[in-house]
Amino acid sequence: MATHRTKMLIIGSGPAGYSAAIYGARAMMEPIVVQGLQPGGQLTITTDVENYPGFADVIQGPWLMDQMQKQAEHVGTRMMWDTIVSVDLEGGSPFRAIGDSGDEYIGDVLVIATGAQAKWLGVPGEMELGGKGVSACATCDGFFYRGKKVVVIGGGNTAVEEALYLTNHSDDVTLIHRRDELRAEKILQDRLMKHPKVSTLWNKTVERFEAGADGGLSHLVLRDTVTGESSTFEAHGAFVAIGHAPATELFKGKLPLDESGYLLTEPGSPKTAIPGVFAAGDVTDHVYRQAVTAAGMGCMAALDAERFLAGLEIEHDGHVHAPAEA
């Protein structure tokens, strides 16, 4: 077991964590990034990326995350292959975290960039056809299904919003829901029902996704929740939209969360309720959930962290504490 000390501790990688690290390193905060179970975040399981600024051609998600990691390391970030299992935020800065390895990490400021995971159906073919017709983000991947037949699975706000968004690319969008009524807000339901490009399949659950001869999605096997009958439904793209789960288990009871479990921050800011603790990316964002917005929030967190450190008084013994309020 070892103790790792830094001015800036970042829990979680991905666009938010890496961007915070890049800005933090350039500000001489000598950041440590504890990468977690999925270094690089959700983009490591995304294939084609066409909406991240700066690249004329389609790029691969894992490649983009690898480049961000290397950039962060190049400017002075230390990457730790560990998973945080507990944090101590009481008493303010410095903040302590314990890794699964038993190592202790101490940071004068803490940036939480643990992200969120899309909820999946857990049926055969779902993971195998990820990036080959099955997705959990219409905003990310809808463009690749221009003029093709697509389906959205779900019945809440996310599903309806994804279905409406997909009408920008497809004239044949079908919403599949396991019940006979939606849970989405009434205004969204009205827009959906009135849209000429959208149809609905009620009382249907997906039993499995199946590939065609080209290896991509060919059709879904559905089960009627009322009669129990099975049927097939052809589609080129299927978007699972049953919600996301933010990775905030570590912070329950330690930081304020909203009703869905996302970390709460000051409006328009990455600042949490505890001075010196910042949240960036999907762990606090249930609206946009894009790589570019996560990267922007990581930048904001690093800039605010630098300002926070500048306001701390450093005693001769190296102890760091917040200045007394006037």
Side-chain angles (χ1 to χ4, degrees), residues 8-287:
M8 183 185 204
L9 176 61
I10 302 169
I11 301 177
S13 45
Y18 290 150
S19 295
I22 291 165
Y23 275 80
R26 288 172 55 46
M28 309 305 293
M29 288 190 280
E30 301 172 335
I32 288 176
V33 173
V34 184
Q35 301 227 62
L37 290 172
Q38 189 178 21
Q42 291 187 79
L43 272 181
T44 60
I45 58 172
T46 301
T47 51
D48 293 347
V49 175
E50 200 170 37
N51 56 4
Y52 197 86
F55 301 94
D57 297 320
V58 176
I59 57 175
Q60 299 298 298
W63 177 86
L64 178 60
M65 290 301 91
D66 181 63
Q67 292 299 301
M68 283 193 184
Q69 177 184 324
K70 288 177 178 177
Q71 183 179 2
E73 290 176 309
H74 176 73
V75 291
T77 301
R78 280 190 288 166
M79 297 290 170
M80 308 300 294
W81 301 93
D82 204 351
T83 300
I84 299 300
V85 295
S86 68
V87 293
D88 181 5
L89 307 182
E90 293 184 10
S93 176
F95 306 102
R96 289 174 168 78
I98 302 297
D100 184 62
S101 65
D103 285 8
E104 181 181 36
Y105 302 88
I106 302 174
D108 296 334
V109 295
L110 174 64
V111 176
I112 302 168
T114 48
Q117 295 291 331
K119 295 179 182 178
W120 295 96
L121 298 171
V123 300
E126 188 173 42
M127 293 297 102
E128 294 84 352
L129 289 170
K132 300 176 183 177
V134 177
S135 171
C137 182
T139 312
C140 308
D141 300 327
F143 184 76
F144 300 111
Y145 298 92
R146 299 185 303 276
K148 297 182 178 180
K149 187 175 183 178
V150 297
V151 301
V152 176
I153 300 107
N157 285 352
T158 298
V160 173
E161 288 169 349
E162 299 258 281
L164 290 170
Y165 172 81
L166 286 167
T167 61
N168 294 313
H169 305 295
S170 171
D171 293 331
D172 192 344
V173 180
T174 302
L175 183 72
I176 300 173
H177 187 40
R178 60 183 177 175
R179 299 189 178 93
D180 60 0
E181 60 180 0
L182 300 174
R183 293 176 288 105
E185 296 173 3
K186 186 65 166 59
I187 188 170
L188 288 174
Q189 293 190 44
D190 290 343
R191 290 175 187 167
L192 185 85
M193 298 306 174
K194 293 176 181 177
H195 205 292
K197 297 181 181 179
V198 180
S199 57
T200 54
L201 279 180
W202 302 109
N203 299 317
K204 297 288 191 296
T205 60
V206 179
E207 290 197 318
R208 62 183 182 273
F209 299 93
E210 295 194 344
D214 62 355
L217 177 67
S218 168
H219 61 273
L220 297 76
V221 176
L222 307 177
R223 180 178 59 83
D224 192 292
T225 58
V226 177
T227 67
E229 294 181 357
S230 292
S231 61
T232 60
F233 192 87
E234 293 184 1
H236 298 103
F239 295 86
V240 179
I242 57 175
H244 285 73
T248 53
E249 190 68 31
L250 275 174
F251 309 103
K252 287 182 178 178
K254 299 177 180 180
L255 286 169
L257 310 176
D258 70 9
E259 62 276 6
S260 299
Y262 289 85
L263 283 171
L264 289 173
T265 59
E266 293 182 11
S269 162
K271 297 176 183 177
T272 70
I274 297 179
V277 178
F278 307 91
D282 288 6
V283 74
T284 187
D285 175 19
H286 58 83
V287 178

